[in-house]
Amino acid sequence: MMKYGWAGMAAALGMTAGMASAQDAVTLQLKWVTQGQFAGYYVALDNGYYEEEGLDVTIRPGGPDIAPVQVLMGGGADVMVDWMPSALAAREQGAPVVNIAQPVIRSGLMLVCWADAGIATPEDFRGHKIGTWFFGNEIPLLNWLSQLGIPTTGGEDGAEILRIGFNVDPLLQHQADCVTAMTYNEYWQVIDAGVTPEQIVVFRYEDYGVATLEDGLWVNEANLSDPAFVERMARFVRASMRGWEWALANPEAAAEMVLDHDETGAQTLEHQVRMVREMAALTEGSTGVLDEAAYQRTVDTLLGGGSDPVITRAPEGAFTHAVTDAASME
Amino acid sequence: MSRTLPVLTVTAVLIALWYLAVIPMNATWEYDQARRAGAELPFAEMVARTMAQERPVLPAPHQVVIGLYEQTVGCDAVGRRMCRETTPLTVQGFGQRVVAAFTSNRSLVYHAGVTLSATMLGFLIGTGGGILLAIGIVYNRAMDASVMPWAIASQTIPIIALAPMIIVVLNSVGISGLIPKAIIAAYLSFFPVVVGMVKGLRSPDAMQMDQMKTWSATGAQVFARLRLPMSMPYLFASLKVGIAAALVGTIVGELPVQEGGLGVRLLSGSYYGQTIQIWAALFAAAILAAGLVGIVGLIERRVLARMGMKR
Amino acid sequence: MSGLLQGQGAWIRLGFGAAVLAACWLPRAAGAEPGELTLIALSAALALSVLVPGVALAGRAVLLLAMGGALCVAGVELAFGQTGAEAQGFWAAAIALWLGAWLLVALVADLPWRRGPWGLIAPLVFGATILWAWETVVRALDVPRVILPAPSEIAARLATSSETLWIDMLQTFGRGALAGFAIGCGSAFLFALVVDRYPFLKRGLLPVGNFLAALPIIGTAPIFVMWFGFDWPSKAAVVVAMVFFPMLVNTVQGLTATEAMQRDLMHTYSASWGQTLFRLRLPAAMPFIFNGLKICATLALIGAIVAEFFGSPTYGMGFRISTEVGRLSLDMVWAEIAVAAALGSAFYGVWALLERQVTFWHPSQRGR
């Protein structure tokens, strides 16, 4: 169960006391398309948690061509969901993004390989083809290979990296020996395609100490100097965490809410329910506050990337507890 | 029409080839699965299975047709209530289902509508801009010398690379939704219109221009009564190319915006490995394009017939 | 017509003068643009442009060269000399420079030399003006680098990453696009010959081909990647799908472009189908065939790049563009786009040059 220091009631009471009757507009840019990965936010929207906090929230789905950092810097959103490695890399590129909350505290990233490809340990990646997504998602894999000392140029001694699309066909069609997958999404697509767990071998990043923090809430640093903005974000984070708590206790209903918001009409209920349940494992125990030790572990993993580090120096001021502190003050 | 029989024959041959191709392409997966299960797979059963796979490498034609039906006016697309209350077999029932399909975002009809709206807007902008640019190029030597090569070069820039950037830049000045998609569609459709109109506006020959001069026609009259009418055939030829290009541009522009549309449907089918969804969306887009080009062709025949320029 | 042009030139000149005056009169921050050098250069360009109409041809070219030089100086100053403290005078000077460049293009276009390399001057000036405007606006409005980089940054990236760009070009153009172009155009040509031989096929195949050509490439590219693998064969397949139909349509149209009299003549020589084909119909079809080749030249590279968006090894132009957007290195993205545009235009130009050699007899190859 989620641990909260505040009761939803107290928050609501506090809100009704001195809140302006007009709702404050907040735009959230998601990292990917509408799916159970972001169930908490959709629940908060549909259950009225944002409304109770006096917020009028618009959730913008992401996609393969959408870089959340770009949208944030272009003013198209007030807050974005992004993975820490790509956000820190963007910060080093000159985009001043700052982490204000970290709802997802465990990594769901994994590599799924065919059992008969002869890969039993990460060392066996040599001489095999690994398919990965890019757009910021390749950073953990390249990082891991760099730490193992496996070159990415292919051949007998190295691993051949293929850029694959966001599905598991390359694995199923044997075009790659391993593919990147999320525990809550692609892994289940492989199983749904008729592959049994005995036919595959999985390598979870968490098990090998190369996991990095994933979905977090990030904002533009320039906005943080405005106390009204910080206060608005605090309300947003608080309502979002309430949404996550409810979603994890009611996965079927949460999945239906996600389906209602799906613009493409391509989602299936079964897949989304499974996704929300898996997210429970990744967010269990989270209060939304970024744990400094976990942050430092991610930074160390990224800095230790051997010949091709993702970031070249330790980021400064990349996160703030001001928002989560303000959120728990009620 | 003397074309019906040849078209039907060619289509029938292509479909037969398609069926034949399904078998070897889907066979690998079937044999793989049989091997893992340790079972034997007789040939006939394998063929039957390849025609009914859920995630085929190449879906069979009947799978695509069924998929198209189910995703436009089928039960899944129009909702359970509509499904129970109407039947597609009567004209009235079919009509009710189509109307319901327009508002359900699980239906390809809805997504085709989204794509169509952006395509039409982009096509109008692109055609308007293209005609204006063509007039400028024909009447202003400076523009002719400087702009035309860049118009050609602009088509060598891959729009799929520019589309996300255009959308981000437009969003940052507050323009979002339909208009960025329309602008990308206009970008792709203006070039054929420019090329065609320039050729058309320059098509009157010296004798005809001299004739206008003997009637002491002003510049505007020469334009309205000679150049413009003579450019109509070229304009319509380019409009047909342009509207297809506008559709492609809209689909590319939908990907970063993610607010419904056939392009989004294509990609989301790709993410969740729903091959038949991809093929259904693909064919829906092709049908839409063919339909649009056909409508332009119809308008062309009417207009040119009235102008006395039967083709 | 020339009267109209004269009038236009006068309006631009007036506007140019007015803008230069405004730049001098409007408030300017000390030390910021437009500085003394900029204003002197703009005024010099204005003076030169006034002199141009009254001078003979050779002198005119020299004057225009000098005017171009003055505008360059002013442009460099305005773009790179900004200090961030610019006032209204800056925008007046920017508009003045834009109008001055426009005037230069109009005056150059008026020169009688248009053939060969001389014809490139006007578009080059126009292109340079666009690049200058881009650089100036990006710097003046402080546009974030992760949204739109300045041309100077892109040029720097072109220089430092030339090896990566070369590898990408080899993969995408050298292997994917060229192979697809050759296979696609070659097979379309042969197919057109077959279609021409059997009119039944022509009536049946062209409408069906029309429909197949309407399948959007965004949808067919992932399917081809799934079928042909991640390396260049799938890219070549996408290119083949893209270029086959336009080439087929153009070749078929070209093969029907002979007149009845000409075909009758061959008939009187009792020429066989093959002889008629090679000696009459193919040469007559050349303008259409080259039209098709030019269209397919631009489509080929775009098709290969788009195909790489959906799966590729870790090199290639499409791969580089899509992943560098994710890494927010937009200067690399634009460098790749610039290379793609230049390459596509060059490939188009090759076929245009060849066309001029082969179809020298066609009316479209004469001057206007």
Side-chain angles (χ1 to χ4, degrees), chain C residues 177-195:
Chain C
L178 272 183
F181 181 79
I183 298 174
C185 290
S187 56
F189 181 75
L190 293 172
F191 210 73
L193 293 179
V194 172
V195 164

Side-chain angles (χ1 to χ4, degrees), chain B residues 32-43:
Chain B
D32 246 0
Q33 288 299 90
R35 188 168 44 86
R36 288 180 208 283
E40 277 294 315
L41 196 57
F43 187 75

Side-chain angles (χ1 to χ4, degrees), chain A residues 27-51:
Chain A
T27 307
L28 171 68
Q29 172 68 50
L30 298 179
K31 177 177 163 53
W32 194 238
V33 299
T34 304
Q35 59 183 18
Q37 182 183 352
F38 310 106
Y41 310 107
Y42 286 110
V43 165
L45 190 63
D46 280 359
N47 275 357
Y49 300 156
Y50 289 134
E51 238 179 66

Side-chain angles (χ1 to χ4, degrees), chain C residues 176-189 191 209 212-213 215 217 220 224 235-251 289 291-304 347 351:
Chain C
L178 272 183
F181 181 79
I183 298 174
C185 290
S187 56
F189 181 75
F191 210 73
L212 290 178
L215 290 171
I217 183 186
T220 56
F224 282 152
K235 323 296 177 268
V238 171
V239 172
V240 167
M242 269 188 94
V243 305
F244 185 82
F245 194 66
M247 185 67 187
L248 179 69
V249 165
N250 272 291
T251 312
I289 293 177
N291 193 33
L293 283 172
K294 283 194 292 187
I295 295 174
C296 296
T298 47
L299 289 179
L301 186 56
I302 294 183
F347 196 39
W351 293 107

Side-chain angles (χ1 to χ4, degrees), chain C:
Chain C
M1 188 72 119
S2 62
L4 199 63
L5 205 56
Q6 202 79 313
Q8 271 190 350
W11 280 112
I12 306 175
R13 203 171 285 123
L14 264 172
F16 184 29
V20 173
L21 273 174
C24 296
W25 275 82
L26 283 177
R28 294 172 281 136
E33 285 300 316
E36 312 291 317
L37 185 57
T38 317
L39 291 172
I40 294 175
L42 282 174
S43 315
L46 180 63
L48 286 166
S49 74
V50 170
L51 290 175
V52 160
V55 177
L57 212 52
R60 215 185 279 191
V62 172
L63 279 179
L64 287 177
L65 208 59
M67 183 178 165
L71 286 174
C72 271
V73 169
V76 166
E77 275 296 304
L78 275 176
F80 296 107
Q82 294 176 30
T83 56
E86 274 67 32
Q88 293 106 313
F90 173 77
W91 292 108
I95 294 175
L97 189 56
W98 174 267
L99 288 170
W102 190 350
L103 185 60
L104 181 63
V105 169
L107 292 172
V108 166
D110 240 351
L111 294 176
W113 315 316
R114 299 290 302 286
R115 292 265 100 186
W118 297 111
L120 287 176
I121 298 180
L124 281 177
V125 172
F126 184 70
T129 316
I130 301 272
L131 283 176
W132 166 82
W134 180 349
E135 177 89 38
T136 312
V137 168
V138 163
R139 279 172 192 265
L141 295 180
D142 223 356
V143 177
R145 214 183 61 186
V146 296
I147 293 191
L148 191 66
S152 49
E153 290 170 5
I154 299 170
R157 202 57 141 107
L158 270 169
T160 55
S161 307
S162 51
E163 206 185 295
T164 319
L165 290 168
W166 176 253
I167 296 175
D168 290 340
M169 204 179 82
L170 270 182
Q171 167 75 4
T172 308
F173 184 72
R175 292 188 208 117
L178 272 183
F181 181 79
I183 298 174
C185 290
S187 56
F189 181 75
L190 293 172
F191 210 73
L193 293 179
V194 172
V195 164
D196 178 72
R197 187 82 175 84
Y198 301 105
F200 182 83
L201 269 183
K202 188 194 291 189
R203 280 177 288 148
L205 205 61
L206 287 186
V208 174
N210 241 322
F211 179 78
L212 290 178
L215 290 171
I217 183 186
I218 302 286
T220 56
I223 294 176
F224 282 152
V225 170
M226 188 166 67
W227 289 350
F228 295 102
F230 283 88
D231 215 334
W232 63 267
S234 55
K235 323 296 177 268
V238 171
V239 172
V240 167
M242 269 188 94
V243 305
F244 185 82
F245 194 66
M247 185 67 187
L248 179 69
V249 165
N250 272 291
T251 312
V252 165
Q253 203 179 358
L255 286 171
T256 60
T258 48
E259 294 170 22
M261 288 278 270
Q262 294 169 317
R263 289 196 296 272
D264 276 349
L265 188 62
M266 295 305 274
H267 191 64
T268 65
Y269 294 157
S270 68
S272 68
W273 178 80
Q275 283 172 322
T276 319
L277 186 70
F278 277 104
R279 289 176 190 269
L280 170 65
R281 302 172 68 218
L282 270 184
M286 278 300 149
F288 290 88
I289 293 177
F290 272 99
N291 193 33
L293 283 172
K294 283 194 292 187
I295 295 174
C296 296
T298 47
L299 289 179
L301 186 56
I302 294 183
I305 292 179
V306 168
E308 284 185 350
F309 267 68
F310 295 99
S312 63
T314 51
Y315 45 93
M317 293 171 85
F319 166 78
R320 195 73 52 192
I321 290 176
S322 59
T323 52
E324 294 295 332
V325 171
R327 291 195 188 152
L328 296 173
S329 312
L330 289 196
D331 47 359
M332 188 66 179
V333 173
W334 280 99
E336 288 276 354
I337 291 178
V339 171
L343 201 53
S345 308
F347 196 39
Y348 178 95
V350 162
W351 293 107
L353 266 168
L354 211 59
E355 177 186 30
R356 201 170 289 180
Q357 297 295 317
V358 174
T359 62
F360 56 88
W361 46 267
H362 196 255
S364 70
Q365 298 299 323
R366 301 177 203 140
R368 212 171 321 103

Side-chain angles (χ1 to χ4, degrees), chain A:
Chain A
M1 286 301 284
M2 312 275 294
K3 292 187 283 210
Y4 279 120
W6 55 85
M9 285 295 275
L13 277 174
M15 277 310 100
T16 50
M19 212 65 251
S21 54
Q23 308 245 308
D24 292 319
V26 171
T27 307
L28 171 68
Q29 172 68 50
L30 298 179
K31 177 177 163 53
W32 194 238
V33 299
T34 304
Q35 59 183 18
Q37 182 183 352
F38 310 106
Y41 310 107
Y42 286 110
V43 165
L45 190 63
D46 280 359
N47 275 357
Y49 300 156
Y50 289 134
E51 238 179 66
E52 286 172 28
E53 299 273 4
L55 296 173
D56 175 20
V57 173
T58 314
I59 301 183
R60 301 179 62 159
D65 283 307
I66 302 178
V69 175
Q70 262 190 337
V71 179
L72 193 70
M73 297 308 300
D78 302 302
V79 54
M80 69 171 182
V81 176
D82 202 1
W83 283 10
M84 192 168 281
S86 73
L88 290 179
R91 194 177 164 82
E92 199 169 278
Q93 284 259 355
V97 293
V98 175
N99 180 306
I100 59 169
Q102 189 68 34
V104 177
I105 53 176
R106 277 174 218 95
S107 161
L109 201 55
M110 61 191 332
L111 283 176
V112 176
C113 307
W114 285 114
D116 54 15
I119 303 176
T121 70
E123 263 307 304
D124 297 329
F125 288 152
R126 290 177 200 273
H128 285 103
K129 291 191 189 160
I130 305 181
T132 178
W133 319 313
F134 273 71
F135 237 76
N137 301 299
E138 78 278 21
I139 296 175
L141 175 68
L142 296 178
N143 200 28
W144 190 8
L145 290 175
S146 195
Q147 286 189 8
L148 290 171
I150 301 179
T152 56
T153 44
E156 265 192 37
D157 194 43
E160 191 182 336
I161 306 291
L162 297 175
R163 173 174 173 245
I164 62 175
F166 294 93
N167 57 41
V168 294
D169 284 322
L171 184 75
L172 299 175
Q173 309 295 340
H174 291 276
Q175 287 163 340
D177 301 308
C178 303
V179 293
T180 306
M182 301 305 296
T183 56
Y184 46 80
N185 192 356
E186 285 76 15
Y187 174 76
W188 292 106
Q189 288 187 34
V190 175
I191 301 294
D192 277 347
V195 178
T196 61
E198 295 80 42
Q199 294 171 326
I200 49 179
V201 169
V202 301
F203 298 91
R204 299 195 49 166
Y205 282 62
E206 287 276 359
D207 298 337
Y208 290 89
V210 285
T212 50
L213 285 174
E214 289 170 4
D215 297 22
L217 291 170
W218 298 72
V219 300
N220 190 340
E221 190 166 17
N223 290 334
L224 284 176
S225 51
D226 174 17
F229 180 81
V230 174
E231 199 255 332
R232 214 166 41 225
M233 286 298 112
R235 287 184 271 147
F236 175 78
V237 168
R238 194 166 39 221
S240 304
M241 295 314 293
R242 276 179 70 198
W244 274 112
E245 185 183 10
W246 195 94
L248 304 178
N250 307 282
E252 291 87 6
E256 289 201 3
M257 286 179 193
V258 169
L259 236 55
D260 284 339
H261 284 274
D262 173 31
E263 284 278 350
T264 68
Q267 304 278 14
T268 62
L269 186 63
E270 184 202 344
H271 191 63
Q272 294 306 310
V273 170
R274 224 166 26 193
M275 196 181 287
V276 177
R277 287 216 176 97
E278 287 286 343
M279 290 305 289
L282 299 181
T283 50
E284 187 163 354
S286 163
T287 58
V289 180
L290 174 66
D291 176 30
E292 273 207 57
Y295 164 81
Q296 197 53 50
R297 269 200 304 277
T298 298
V299 170
D300 291 337
T301 308
L302 295 176
L303 280 173
S307 58
D308 205 6
V310 176
I311 48 178
T312 52
R313 30 171 210 283
E316 287 177 18
F319 68 93
T320 174
H321 284 143
V323 174
T324 39
D325 286 343
S328 37
M329 242 169 222
E330 283 287 330

